[in-house]
Every structure is written in structure tokens, then in C-alpha cells.
Amino acid sequence: MSQPEESGIERDYCAGQLSLREMAKIYGISEAAIRKRAKKHGWVRSEKTGTQVRKKGTQKAKVRTEEKMQNSTPEKVIEELHCDAVEGEDEFSIDSRKYGLSDMQWRFVNEYLIDLNRTAAYKRAGGKGEGNTAYVSASRIYRNAKVSRAINDALAARERRTQITQDEVLKLWWDIATADANQITEYRRLCCRHCWGFGFQYQWRDAVEYEEASEKAKTAKKPPPRDKGGYGFDSTLDPNPDCPRCNGAGEGRAHFHDTRDLKGAARRLFAGIKEGKFGIEVITRNQDDALKMVAQHLGMIKTKTELSGPDGGPVKTESVNMTTEEAAEFYRKMMG
């Protein structure tokens, strides 16, 4: 058994959250083997529930608060109480029964909330896969509707606990203003159908595509297509610089990233999509407006204009009719 699996068994055994039967199913070993390892390494199994542990932590927080109040001035009491409330506030509790999660899914959700890394969360939750297998298994759990709902609810609860300040708002504007739109959508120059075909002939994806094209040509009473370029066309490859059909420039294609995986500034920039007559349109927040808001906040843009007369006095107006010479003389006096 690998070291990560051994440490996972120790963690779950000592936590006392799972029964030995459930652990045996997860790690693929017998209950007797788990007991044997616990006896050999001296593991101590906790009998306390998560609720009891949280209450104990809350009680300690109260004791610390009382000690601070005895040694603090009245002006500091409110600030210290506020800090303790933030520090001692319980994290969002994932109730597996509420969301209908299995034990593995419940552990995955809690581990994912630590660093938002699905593959790492899968391994810490007891997953056995490695490399691409681990990523595929982690993605399968992550895309589960129940798991996704639990994660979104937990992240929303975390945001509600976060206090919004002017600095936070400024950071949001700055993130939008400097976000890389290529993390949402890209315009790529990729290979054409002739770039990697034999003798730069038209290349098909597979035999099925070729047969479908042949049937379509036969129905339309047109000559059948040729497959001298072979099969295996991959539209994600770069252009062949020697291709005589596209002159090495390839073909332009739009690519949209999976917005469910957007994080940080790119997530704030993304505002949705719109499907219309000409296809899909990605909607983003206005980066220029966000940059202006940052500049205004830093005092780089003046939006207030003041008009005054000589020596800062009010602007005088005359309602009498004046000739051109009188108006010029009046103007010279005003500019004095």
C-alpha cells in the first residue's frame, strides 16, 4: 500500500467520522486489516462528533474573549470582540444528508474547499487513481449535480462571511480591468484539412466521416470523394508551414473555454453568453469602465469643473446690448 493511502487510513480512523466497514469499502481492505494497522501503529480513534469539537472550540473562544475584556480598555473591547467573532465563526457545514452525498463525495467537497483543486481534493479524499486517471475521476465527481450544488452553496456562504471594504471593491475593479480575455475565449489559427494529409490531400477525421460524405455525394448524384489524404484529421493541430493550400496560415477558429472552470479575474470579467442568429456571443464586463473607476478612486481623473470670475469671484453677466468694441473691452477687463 502506498504512503498516501496509509496516511489516509490513519486520518479517517483517528477522526472517527467513518465506520470501519465504510473505510474498508473505500480503501479496498478488510476491517480486520484496519484494526491490525491501528494496533501496530498505535492509532487512537476519536469518539467525538464534529458538533462536539466545534462547541469545544467555541467555548475556548469565549474564554479568550473574557480574558481580553478584563485586560482591555473600553475603546478596544468592540474591536477585539469583532475579531474574535470572525476568528471563531464556524465554517459552512456540509450536511451529506441534505445534498444526498456519498461518503466519498462528502470528503471530496470538504477537501476541494481548501484549495479549489479537484485532483488534489480527490486524492486527499481517498481516491486511488494517479495521473490522468485521477483527473478523470476527480472531474466525474466534480461535475456531479449534487456535489456541484454543495460546493456552490459552501462558496456562497464563504463570500457572505467576507467583509467588503473599499480596498476589496478597488481590487474587484482592478481584476476586471486587467483580466486576460484569452482565458475566456480565443481566436486560434489552426491547421486546414490539407495541412497534414498525405501529399497535402484532403484529410478525413475517420472512415465514418468519409462514408457519410460518400453517401451524401451518391444521393446528390455527384462524384464520390477521394480519401488519398488518409484519416486522422485533428483540428487542434497547428498549421503545416509547408502546406500549399493555406500557405502555412491555416484557418481561423473561435475557441471558448469551459466557463465552469474560470477562476479569479477571468471569472469576474465573464458576464454570461448570448445565443443569437449568428451563433454564440460571449458577454464580458466593460474593462475600460472598470479602469476608469480605478483611476477615479486613485484621484487620477478629475470629474469636477469649476468656473469663477477674477480673483475667484462669481462670473458676472451683463444683460445690456453692447457693441463689438465694448464687448472686447469688457473681456479685457475680465481677464485683467
Side-chain angles (χ1 to χ4, degrees), residues 184-242:
I184 302 174
T185 179
E186 297 175 326
Y187 181 75
R188 298 175 174 178
R189 301 295 303 187
L190 302 170
C191 65
C192 72
R193 285 280 187 163
H194 300 268
C195 277
W196 304 107
F198 296 120
F200 299 109
Q201 298 291 322
Y202 188 94
Q203 187 181 34
W204 301 89
R205 291 190 179 91
D206 48 36
V208 175
E209 185 187 31
Y210 172 73
E211 291 174 1
E212 291 176 348
S214 299
E215 289 293 333
K216 186 176 180 180
K218 183 178 180 180
T219 303
K221 297 181 179 180
K222 294 182 179 181
R226 296 182 298 178
D227 61 348
K228 292 184 178 181
Y231 305 102
F233 172 71
D234 185 352
S235 62
T236 64
L237 297 178
D238 287 336
N240 187 336
D242 298 325

Side-chain angles (χ1 to χ4, degrees), residues 83-112:
C83 293
D84 278 346
V86 174
E87 292 175 356
E89 187 177 10
D90 290 339
E91 291 292 325
F92 180 79
S93 178
I94 302 297
D95 187 349
S96 60
R97 292 171 298 178
K98 174 183 176 182
Y99 296 96
L101 303 177
S102 65
D103 292 332
M104 179 62 180
Q105 290 172 336
W106 180 83
R107 291 197 303 276
F108 175 84
V109 171
N110 284 278
E111 294 293 343
Y112 179 80

Side-chain angles (χ1 to χ4, degrees), residues 29 34 64 103 109 171 283:
I29 58 177
I34 296 177
R64 290 198 303 270
D103 292 332
V109 171
K171 184 179 183 302
I283 304 173

Side-chain angles (χ1 to χ4, degrees), residues 12 24 36 51 74 79 127 134 173 175 182 188 194 215 221 241 256 282 284 296 300 306 324 333:
D12 290 340
K36 185 177 179 180
T51 303
E79 180 180 357
W173 282 336
D175 284 345
N182 282 322
R188 298 175 174 178
H194 300 268
E215 289 293 333
K221 297 181 179 180
F256 300 96
V282 176
T284 60
Q296 289 181 8
M300 300 171 65
E306 295 183 354
T324 303
K333 290 181 179 179

Side-chain angles (χ1 to χ4, degrees), residues 136-268:
V136 172
S137 300
S139 298
R140 185 179 296 112
I141 299 176
Y142 178 77
R143 298 300 185 201
N144 181 276
K146 298 176 182 178
V147 172
S148 180
R149 186 163 67 92
I151 290 175
N152 290 335
D153 288 351
L155 292 177
R158 179 183 294 177
E159 290 179 0
R160 288 194 295 270
R161 291 194 303 270
T162 304
Q163 290 187 335
I164 302 300
T165 64
Q166 290 189 22
D167 289 342
E168 289 294 332
V169 174
L170 179 61
K171 184 179 183 302
L172 289 175
W173 282 336
W174 182 248
D175 284 345
I176 294 173
T178 58
D180 183 4
N182 282 322
Q183 295 182 16
I184 302 174
T185 179
E186 297 175 326
Y187 181 75
R188 298 175 174 178
R189 301 295 303 187
L190 302 170
C191 65
C192 72
R193 285 280 187 163
H194 300 268
C195 277
W196 304 107
F198 296 120
F200 299 109
Q201 298 291 322
Y202 188 94
Q203 187 181 34
W204 301 89
R205 291 190 179 91
D206 48 36
V208 175
E209 185 187 31
Y210 172 73
E211 291 174 1
E212 291 176 348
S214 299
E215 289 293 333
K216 186 176 180 180
K218 183 178 180 180
T219 303
K221 297 181 179 180
K222 294 182 179 181
R226 296 182 298 178
D227 61 348
K228 292 184 178 181
Y231 305 102
F233 172 71
D234 185 352
S235 62
T236 64
L237 297 178
D238 287 336
N240 187 336
D242 298 325
C243 178
R245 294 300 185 100
C246 65
N247 294 321
E251 296 177 348
R253 301 189 188 101
H255 176 79
F256 300 96
H257 293 281
D258 193 333
T259 59
R260 295 174 297 180
D261 299 329
L262 294 179
K263 296 291 187 297
R267 182 67 182 177
R268 297 186 180 98

